[in-house]
Amino acid sequence: MLDKLGWKKSEKAIQSIDERVASLSQQDVPNHIAIIMDGNGRWANKRALPRFLGHREGMQNIRRITRAANRMGVGAITLYAFSTENWKRPSKEVEFLMRLPEEFLNSFIPELMDLNIRVEMIGEMDGVPEYTSRAIQHAMKETKNNTGMILNFAFNYGSRREIVLAMQRLAQLVKQGDLQPEEITEEVISDYLMTSKLPEPDLLIRTSGEIRLSNFLLWQLAYTEFWFTDVHWPEFTDEKLLDAIEDFQNRNRRYGGLKGE
């Protein structure tokens, strides 16, 4: 299957990765890229490996893609690491996924400090094991003064739940008399979402051939450019990230208007 709504091969295919990266700055680089990291289990199944090895390899690929995105001048990446729906998976798999942040972040912090990358998180810590919460909070604390790219994990995150929580907070303000209904605008709603400190994503990438949002950043993706690939997440490379960014740079973002026409 072809990369859907994605990059078509051109003369750039014969350039080196270094040459392609160097040319990115000639046009706008996405300030914020959201990624649905799909296909860890399928990657493992193709190799007759246990699913947990696919998840471990997928976590290691976060390290590689974080370095690449930083090198390419991306301002922030939000990674869909664990959704509210993922609790439905077998308990042993969930337990393994909950252990990965501890294993991964503790070893990655020194490099994040060297790269000046700040760790953030959206989602809810309620119900998450203490060792998972501790690892995430530690990474956020250690990198909080870094001023470079933001590495944002969506963990125990669901967009509908996020919107419900925002509406409940706004309703409480109205009930208290601190906010009038007519004062609730798109900007106000955005301020009460978990992503309030981030710009809306310019580009969404989803791996492994699925073409859906899966309850991810539903409000924030209203005018985001989408890019899909059949490649499973553990095999998603620097070159594939370049493909997505180059395709983004060739699009005409009109936001409902007639820009560029």
Side-chain angles (χ1 to χ4, degrees), residues 103-122:
E103 173 186 333
F104 170 73
L105 286 171
N106 288 342
S107 65
F108 197 21
I109 285 175
E111 186 171 358
L112 292 172
M113 297 302 295
D114 288 341
L115 295 173
N116 194 30
I117 293 173
R118 186 169 86 248
V119 174
E120 296 287 353
M121 180 205 143
I122 58 173

Side-chain angles (χ1 to χ4, degrees), residues 49-242:
L49 297 171
R51 284 177 60 85
F52 78 87
L53 289 180
H55 292 306
R56 176 163 284 151
E57 185 62 28
M59 186 65 78
Q60 291 305 315
N61 200 38
I62 291 175
R63 190 188 302 259
R64 294 187 285 266
I65 295 303
T66 297
R67 293 190 199 110
N70 187 60
R71 178 187 174 202
M72 294 173 196
V74 176
I77 55 174
T78 294
L79 305 176
Y80 206 7
F82 190 89
S83 76
T84 51
E85 289 77 23
N86 287 155
W87 293 105
K88 301 173 186 176
R89 295 187 177 189
S91 59
K92 288 186 178 180
E93 182 172 349
V94 170
E95 182 180 358
F96 183 82
L97 290 169
M98 288 294 154
R99 287 287 182 184
L100 281 177
E102 183 178 42
E103 173 186 333
F104 170 73
L105 286 171
N106 288 342
S107 65
F108 197 21
I109 285 175
E111 186 171 358
L112 292 172
M113 297 302 295
D114 288 341
L115 295 173
N116 194 30
I117 293 173
R118 186 169 86 248
V119 174
E120 296 287 353
M121 180 205 143
I122 58 173
E124 297 180 90
M125 283 293 96
D126 291 348
V128 171
E130 191 274 336
Y131 52 79
T132 308
S133 175
R134 182 176 61 240
I136 295 172
Q137 295 294 335
H138 176 66
M140 292 172 63
K141 180 180 178 182
E142 289 296 305
T143 64
K144 67 179 181 179
N145 294 322
N146 290 350
T147 57
M149 190 183 81
I150 296 171
L151 174 58
N152 183 42
F153 289 96
F155 199 88
N156 195 24
Y157 170 87
S159 186
R160 288 185 174 183
R161 173 66 175 165
E162 173 190 30
I163 293 170
V164 166
L165 291 174
M167 295 305 101
Q168 289 175 345
R169 292 174 65 192
L170 290 172
Q172 186 62 37
L173 291 175
V174 171
K175 182 179 180 180
Q176 294 168 185
D178 296 327
L179 184 69
Q180 296 301 310
E182 61 271 17
E183 294 175 326
I184 300 176
T185 63
E186 291 185 15
E187 290 75 20
V188 169
I189 292 173
S190 293
D191 286 343
Y192 280 82
L193 296 176
M194 297 174 183
T195 53
S196 60
K197 296 180 181 179
L198 291 170
E200 293 184 349
D202 299 298
L203 175 64
L204 169 78
I205 296 170
R206 181 164 186 158
T207 59
S208 201
E210 306 293 351
I211 308 177
R212 56 177 177 268
L213 296 182
S214 298
N215 198 20
F216 183 50
L217 300 177
L218 300 178
W219 175 276
Q220 298 90 334
L221 296 175
Y223 284 102
T224 299
E225 298 294 324
F226 293 178
W227 195 88
F228 301 95
T229 178
D230 291 335
V231 172
H232 300 317
W233 172 249
E235 298 174 303
F236 186 80
T237 61
D238 299 18
E239 186 172 6
K240 278 294 179 185
L241 180 62
L242 266 172

Side-chain angles (χ1 to χ4, degrees), residues 14-72:
I14 64 174
Q15 291 180 308
S16 71
I17 289 181
D18 287 343
E19 290 172 330
R20 291 169 64 188
V21 170
S23 68
L24 287 181
S25 61
Q26 297 174 15
Q27 301 182 61
D28 290 337
V29 174
N31 189 29
H32 183 186
I33 298 178
I35 305 178
I36 301 175
M37 306 178 293
D38 201 7
N40 293 336
R42 276 165 280 182
W43 178 88
N45 289 339
K46 278 177 54 179
R47 291 160 177 76
L49 297 171
R51 284 177 60 85
F52 78 87
L53 289 180
H55 292 306
R56 176 163 284 151
E57 185 62 28
M59 186 65 78
Q60 291 305 315
N61 200 38
I62 291 175
R63 190 188 302 259
R64 294 187 285 266
I65 295 303
T66 297
R67 293 190 199 110
N70 187 60
R71 178 187 174 202
M72 294 173 196

